[in-house]
Amino acid sequence: MAITHDKGIFTLNTKNSTYQMQADSFGCLLHLYYGRRTEGVTSWGLKFMDRGFSGNPTPDRTYSLDVLPQEFPTQGTGDYRTPGLIVRDSEGIYGVVLHYKGFEILEGKYSLKGLPAVHAEDAQTLAITLEDKRIGLTVKLLYGVLPEKDIITRSVIVRNDGSKPVTVMKLASSCLDFTHGKFDLITFQGRHTMERQFQRQSLSHGQFTVGSRRGMSSHQFNPFVILADHDATETAGRCWGMQFVYSGGFLAEAELDQYSQTRLMMGLAQEKFAYPLKPGEELAGPEVIMTFSSEGLGKLSHNYHACIRENVCRDTRPSPIVLNTWEALYFNFDGRKILEVAQSAKGLGVDMLVLDDGWFMNRNDDNRALGDWTADEAKLGCTLGELVRDVNSLGLKFGLWVEPEMISEDSDLFRAHPDWAMTVPHERPVLGRNQLVLDMSRREVREYVYGAIAGILSQGNIEYLKWDYNRSIAAVYSRTSDSQGKVMYDYMLGLYEVLERLHEKYPEVLIEGCAGGGGRFDAGMLYYTPQIWCSDNTDALDRMNIHYGTSFGYPVSTIAAHVSTCPNHQTGRTTPLKTRYTVSMAGGFGYELNPLTLTEEERREIAGQVLQYRTDREIITEGMYYRLSNPFEESYCAWEYVSRNGSKALVNAVIPYNHGNMPLVYVVLRGLSGGTFYRDIGTGKIYPSDALMDAGLPLEMPKGDCEAFTFRLERV
Ligand code: DGJ
């Protein structure tokens, strides 16, 4: 039994972790423990004493929620740390006092209406009900336990069971309280073209928050955080992760309080959020995927990789190897050029041509036409269907770029429905890339978007969509909503509804997520789009660091990465083709360059890469992924894939900068079978596995900057 309940104590067990909480005699749900798998009851950790200026909900001066670890802290209970729930009642009073009411243990994993969530056969659900009798509020805390994966998910449903309306002002989905410990917080910060840069800092007293107010999970901060023992490394130490299954605004908070206790919390962004609930209505907090590792960050990542790959993504087919036209041609093409590029790409061995932006009416630059999803037949020289057919007849699949949630002011759609754009009345709208965001909270807008995409798909054998999103939301106003405080949340539900409808109707169409690169790289999108364009930055060195950060929470199978031309269009840097390939070996692999301009030598090299990728794809997308160095701290970046049965390993390394008389770099491997030998397929040399995982493999001295090294090993 993964979940048990005994004398008021709830225990959630996974293979390597235990989570415990207790409904105490005051009816409060206290958090007891989340750590290594253990037997017995951990309530001895609770200490009761009179603490000055910490409120007491009863005359017992030794009982204060300001000090005790809680499962779901609320505002107004005398706990002055950050709350998970703030509610304003019909009198305008803030404050919720929740008491334990009951629980249910269910077989299987709960799902959330309208929201993406982990799906699993081998799982149990615990639902704990709390209530505030004064306001008539019921809160259901949901826990999904995937024992074999070491995963515990959390979500919360707030329901107004009273007779008067209330407004939810803040909603977090998960909270972890630690009574002691010296922790680091690991977050993934960035910007457009530099997403998910690894950042680790020790927690000091106060509150540290990351989040997004942009209506998208964002390039700036990823909705994924790790709390780690101060001395935790890749291979040792305790760490806890929280990953939000949501693509809109979020708030992750870490607080070190007056008694050096730590609270970690993840939930909806509070900005522009005030969700009214009429009697009988409810609001679901998006899911948080939690995991615990006592074996360092590498194991924590493995737990997430398996969960995202098998329990979030729903399409597990291998991705086609693509040639994408964006960096190859931008807007400068016609139908003839596309076919020439396709023919040339076919000669390289790729599977699919992806026609990126610029294929529809008036879209010859990025200032207009979004919303008018009619192919520009004059530019293409034929219908879209004919172009797809011609590409198919070259032996290539066809994929197409769309940006369905957007509308340009210069578009027929805007001229017909200016009110469908999210703008504030009588105010000049804030533009982003000269475009506005469609109000996905409106049914008629969702119908239009669904109809437009279905209409495109009906024109030919289109097997892949790249679903882009190129600005953040600024104006939060919906002309039809009864409350502007719910628009951001309803927008996401609207987007998910359209994606779900498309998934049901066209299960064979692969959708790649994209938001100006990796601006919506989150588990919410991965539920609908099993791979995401990781960044608009295709420079090998920058990408290497972006992939490094991304790998903490997301499996390589979800990362789309393309080899592009040099000098690189984002950085102007020239890197060897081999290095670009080495860095791009990921789940959504391909090329984003003009094959017509390649030299014969480059064509041969690329054709070889494509063949090699087909051989390596399984180990890359399904193997165990190991980070072998931290490129932010070390002079090289190395990473490794080991097949599930340990019989093969693929090791990649890049030395970004060459220096005079460099020290040798030794790459120390991990995850090999112990007590045996591995052969380097390239050189035939045989190495003892334990020494490879201890002394490591030396890299040759680089002959220039940005040199890449690859080793393919097999167990003998
Ligand atoms: C942003 C994407 O990230 C790019 O790859 C490309 O599709 C452009 N949009 C097209 O406008």
Side-chain angles (χ1 to χ4, degrees), residues 192 195 219 324 326-327 330-331 356-358 363 365-366 370 401-403 433 435 466 468-470 512-518 533 535-538 562 592:
H192 178 223
E195 299 87 338
H219 302 84
N324 179 295
W326 181 242
E327 286 197 27
Y330 295 103
F331 294 99
D356 209 283
D357 201 351
R363 186 68 174 174
D365 59 33
D366 59 6
L370 293 171
W401 178 95
V402 288
E403 195 177 356
R433 214 192 193 198
Q435 61 198 51
K466 176 176 173 186
D468 208 345
Y469 180 91
N470 279 302
E512 172 175 287
C514 175
W533 180 230
S535 177
D536 272 350
N537 189 339
T538 54
H562 298 165
E592 192 153 330

Side-chain angles (χ1 to χ4, degrees), residues 532-545:
I532 296 178
W533 180 230
C534 195
S535 177
D536 272 350
N537 189 339
T538 54
D539 172 80
L541 291 198
D542 282 351
R543 261 299 184 118
M544 194 174 76
N545 291 356

Side-chain angles (χ1 to χ4, degrees), residues 168-187:
V168 180
M169 307 299 294
K170 180 182 182 189
L171 184 60
S173 300
S174 65
C175 172
L176 279 178
D177 273 357
F178 298 82
T179 50
H180 61 101
K182 265 195 178 315
F183 297 120
D184 285 359
L185 185 71
I186 297 172
T187 53

Side-chain angles (χ1 to χ4, degrees), residues 485-504:
K486 54 199 279 211
V487 175
M488 291 293 248
Y489 180 86
D490 288 354
Y491 178 98
M492 285 322 300
L493 288 195
L495 168 63
Y496 291 148
E497 180 194 295
V498 171
L499 287 167
E500 186 60 27
R501 271 179 83 183
L502 289 168
H503 173 78
E504 277 166 17

Side-chain angles (χ1 to χ4, degrees), residues 239-425:
C239 41
W240 296 258
M242 281 193 186
Q243 185 171 135
F244 213 19
V245 190
Y246 190 63
S247 316
F250 76 97
L251 180 64
E253 300 169 273
E255 181 171 4
L256 188 65
D257 77 3
Q258 54 182 334
Y259 301 115
S260 297
Q261 311 192 101
T262 299
R263 173 167 288 175
L264 184 69
M265 202 174 256
M266 174 78 87
L268 290 169
Q270 229 180 315
E271 294 263 321
K272 302 164 188 159
F273 181 79
Y275 207 99
L277 292 179
K278 297 193 192 102
E281 287 182 342
E282 61 183 34
L283 171 68
E287 181 165 275
V288 173
I289 306 174
M290 300 193 303
T291 194
F292 164 77
S293 156
S294 61
E295 296 163 50
L297 297 162
K299 174 76 169 78
L300 177 128
S301 292
H302 286 165
N303 294 349
Y304 276 117
H305 293 173
C307 176
I308 298 284
R309 199 166 45 214
E310 290 153 32
N311 304 99
V312 173
C313 298
R314 294 178 291 174
D315 186 346
T316 51
R317 294 171 299 169
S319 297
I321 302 174
V322 305
L323 184 298
N324 179 295
T325 61
W326 181 242
E327 286 197 27
L329 303 170
Y330 295 103
F331 294 99
N332 312 315
F333 60 85
D334 56 20
R336 206 166 42 83
K337 179 62 99 199
I338 295 297
L339 287 176
E340 278 175 35
V341 163
Q343 182 140 39
S344 178
K346 175 66 189 164
L348 300 173
V350 306
D351 302 315
M352 174 182 276
L353 180 94
V354 177
L355 177 54
D356 209 283
D357 201 351
W359 59 269
F360 49 102
M361 292 292 283
N362 295 324
R363 186 68 174 174
N364 292 314
D365 59 33
D366 59 6
N367 288 308
R368 65 203 85 250
L370 293 171
D372 298 346
W373 299 107
T374 309
D376 185 343
E377 293 181 3
K379 183 172 179 177
L380 299 181
C382 59
T383 65
L384 179 61
E386 284 162 351
L387 183 68
V388 177
R389 185 201 57 203
D390 291 348
V391 169
N392 281 173
S393 67
L394 294 170
L396 286 180
K397 295 168 189 269
F398 187 89
L400 193 65
W401 178 95
V402 288
E403 195 177 356
E405 299 156 73
M406 295 291 162
I407 180 168
S408 303
E409 284 180 308
D410 181 4
S411 70
D412 290 343
L413 185 67
F414 187 78
R415 285 181 277 275
H417 299 286
D419 61 310
W420 283 10
M422 286 173 78
T423 56
V424 173

Side-chain angles (χ1 to χ4, degrees), residues 497-572:
E497 180 194 295
V498 171
L499 287 167
E500 186 60 27
R501 271 179 83 183
L502 289 168
H503 173 78
E504 277 166 17
K505 183 82 198 290
Y506 305 100
E508 72 291 351
V509 174
L510 169 65
I511 305 184
E512 172 175 287
C514 175
R520 252 187 345 199
F521 205 115
D522 56 69
M525 285 310 285
L526 287 170
Y527 185 75
Y528 307 96
T529 67
Q531 65 184 50
I532 296 178
W533 180 230
C534 195
S535 177
D536 272 350
N537 189 339
T538 54
D539 172 80
L541 291 198
D542 282 351
R543 261 299 184 118
M544 194 174 76
N545 291 356
I546 294 168
H547 289 186
Y548 174 79
T550 307
S551 78
F552 281 83
Y554 306 95
V556 180
S557 57
T558 63
I559 292 178
H562 298 165
V563 174
S564 65
T565 197
C566 271
N568 181 268
H569 291 186
Q570 291 79 41
T571 63

